[in-house]
Amino acid sequence: MYSGGYLIRPYIYHSPNTKGKLMAQLWKGRFKKELAKETNDFNSSIKFDCRMYEEDIKGSIAHATMLGAAGIIEKNESEKIVQGLSEIYNDIKSGRLAVDMEAEDIHTFIEGELTQRLGQTGKRLHTARSRNDQVALDIRMVLKKETDEISNKLKELISVLCRKAEENKDTIMPGYTHLQRAQPITFAHHLMAYCSMLCRDLDRLNDVKRRMNILPLGSGALAGTTYPLDRNMVADLLGFDDISSNSLDGVSDRDFCIELAAALSIVMVHLSRFSEEIIMWCSWEFKFIELDDAFSTGSSIMPQKKNPDIAELVRGKSGRVFGDLTALLTIMKGIALAYNKDMQEDKEAIFDAVDTVKMCLNAFTPMIDTMTVLKDNMRNAAAKGFINATDCADYLVGKGMPFRDAYKATGELVAICIDKGLTLETLPISEYQAVCNFFDEDVYTAICLEKCVNDRLVTGGPSKKSVEEQIRKTKQIIG
Ligand code: ARG
């Protein structure tokens, strides 16, 4: 699953006085034997939770600050801890300190490193805290940041789509149902449909973040703590909107991971449908667009090939994200309250979903930005599929005929056109009048595709005016 692309320092580090040994476990006191290497390898989460080092340290800084302010530990010790943690942060960030890949997890590593540096004082950091509420805090912090990053990437894509739509307000193309040509629209209208979908994604991510933005720290292992914690102070320091209201739930809740994976799965459904259309539009059968060389690939054997690999891979990668959602749901569905080790599996799944979506958007947005729209091919396809038949029927309705009769008469005209290899535009007026005497020369104006599109003034429709309004509103949403 998670391929480790985000690991910092993927090599083993031995701090000077633990050289050659496993880093001490935090919970060693009760145990008489050393941990088996196999147990540590299996149990350890450091390979995927080391990416939370920044959040772990920031969370610990806030916790230590509060412990000092609330008089739970001495002020000067709190200050030393904060100072020590800041130094560890700078050392990891600059590469001076590598994360020990034999540590049990990132929490153990940071606390161990602090204790090595500060001695007794370092051991006070974990007062009134458990790794259970610590890990719940760290994931929320990381995912808040990732959610914002993904929202920004979605906004970039939406903004590219709006620009492309502005350039294609007059680009007539067939709209499809059942992949059969149905009614005339513009390419701008089609692109704005994706903007509507992506704006819902933004809204969903915002909503997910609202419930994610609750501080679990202070829940302890499961039953809170007897220390007089100031949880609201920690929430303020870390930018959380509120604190969790039940300590059991505080450490057991991973709804925010599931919700994020669900929202990201829907993002991937949208990108995957879009990809499918890109793939079709690139084919010789459609030839509605051409992708830039920089965002296409060739074949090792067929010299003529130019393949839409990015779109295909995005479509394929949707499966990974759906898999991550399924994994999270399955991990959580059968575990009794409160923390169970099963929950350690949450991180690889949600990180994979987050990384996959980010990677897809990184490639997808410039692919769209640089594609060439083959307007003439779209216009030609629109001319051939009788996509103005509804408008022809509406013309008769305008002359007083009930819609059902108008529908039937137009159907007969289409059959004549197919027989004679003509279109509604090229069918002589005599043929129209032979089917129904309501027809006049003005029918040719009524079925002109440009008019058919621009008369669809209804809110949400394909007319230039309506699409301009859609673009305006979308730009307001992305700010
Ligand atoms: N690495 C653990 C996880 O990701 C941290 C929590 C450990 N808590 C415990 N009770 N073992 O879930």
Side-chain angles (χ1 to χ4, degrees), residues 129-153:
R129 188 176 71 168
S130 159
R131 270 186 304 162
N132 296 351
D133 55 355
Q134 191 179 354
V135 72
L137 172 73
D138 292 3
I139 317 170
R140 283 178 189 258
M141 286 173 69
V142 172
L143 293 183
K144 276 203 296 176
K145 197 177 72 185
E146 297 288 11
T147 305
D148 284 345
E149 236 180 79
I150 292 173
S151 295
N152 286 336
K153 286 183 192 297

Side-chain angles (χ1 to χ4, degrees), residues 19-224:
K19 214 170 176 67
K21 277 191 270 155
L22 291 178
M23 184 145 180
Q25 283 76 40
L26 294 169
W27 36 263
K28 266 197 114 172
R30 185 202 189 285
F31 290 77
K32 297 199 177 72
K33 275 190 176 175
E34 282 297 323
L35 188 66
K37 180 169 182 332
E38 293 80 357
T39 307
N40 190 60
D41 289 349
F42 184 60
N43 203 44
S44 167
S45 52
I46 193 88
K47 289 192 177 63
F48 45 86
D49 66 18
C50 64
R51 79 188 255 172
M52 309 198 297
Y53 81 91
E54 180 174 346
E55 288 73 19
D56 193 75
I57 292 174
K58 285 187 175 158
S60 288
I61 288 177
H63 180 65
T65 307
M66 179 277 293
L67 290 179
I72 298 169
I73 62 172
E74 295 291 332
K75 230 351 196 300
N76 70 322
E77 290 206 290
S78 150
E79 282 162 10
K80 272 194 207 150
I81 292 174
V82 169
Q83 175 68 21
L85 286 167
S86 308
E87 284 168 15
I88 293 175
Y89 172 71
N90 289 332
D91 288 350
I92 297 180
K93 204 175 161 71
S94 65
R96 278 194 299 274
L97 173 63
V99 174
D100 179 359
M101 286 297 142
E102 282 190 41
E104 184 178 335
D105 53 32
I106 191 63
H107 328 294
T108 310
F109 173 74
I110 304 279
E111 197 187 325
E113 184 64 30
L114 186 75
T115 303
Q116 242 176 56
R117 293 183 182 201
L118 302 187
Q120 290 301 103
T121 302
K123 294 183 189 167
R124 297 200 190 279
L125 168 63
H126 212 54
T127 313
R129 188 176 71 168
S130 159
R131 270 186 304 162
N132 296 351
D133 55 355
Q134 191 179 354
V135 72
L137 172 73
D138 292 3
I139 317 170
R140 283 178 189 258
M141 286 173 69
V142 172
L143 293 183
K144 276 203 296 176
K145 197 177 72 185
E146 297 288 11
T147 305
D148 284 345
E149 236 180 79
I150 292 173
S151 295
N152 286 336
K153 286 183 192 297
L154 284 173
K155 284 183 188 170
E156 277 170 36
L157 175 56
I158 294 170
S159 139
V160 163
L161 289 172
C162 283
R163 197 173 44 69
K164 285 266 168 206
E166 254 150 14
E167 293 163 12
N168 286 285
K169 288 184 288 197
D170 295 314
T171 309
I172 306 274
M173 71 181 281
Y176 296 80
T177 61
H178 314 271
L179 211 46
Q180 304 285 322
R181 290 171 191 161
Q183 287 181 342
I185 57 170
T186 63
F187 193 50
H189 187 229
H190 201 113
L191 294 179
M192 292 314 292
Y194 281 104
C195 283
S196 296
M197 293 145 88
L198 297 170
C199 283
R200 284 198 298 279
D201 288 328
L202 276 181
D203 199 36
R204 254 186 294 274
L205 287 175
N206 215 11
D207 205 37
V208 170
K209 202 180 147 198
R210 197 164 53 77
R211 278 183 292 278
M212 194 183 277
N213 208 6
I214 306 291
L215 178 97
L217 207 64
S219 300
L222 74 159

Side-chain angles (χ1 to χ4, degrees), residues 239-253:
F240 281 90
D241 287 341
D242 206 348
I243 59 176
S244 56
S245 53
N246 178 289
S247 61
L248 279 173
D249 182 50
V251 289
S252 306
D253 173 27

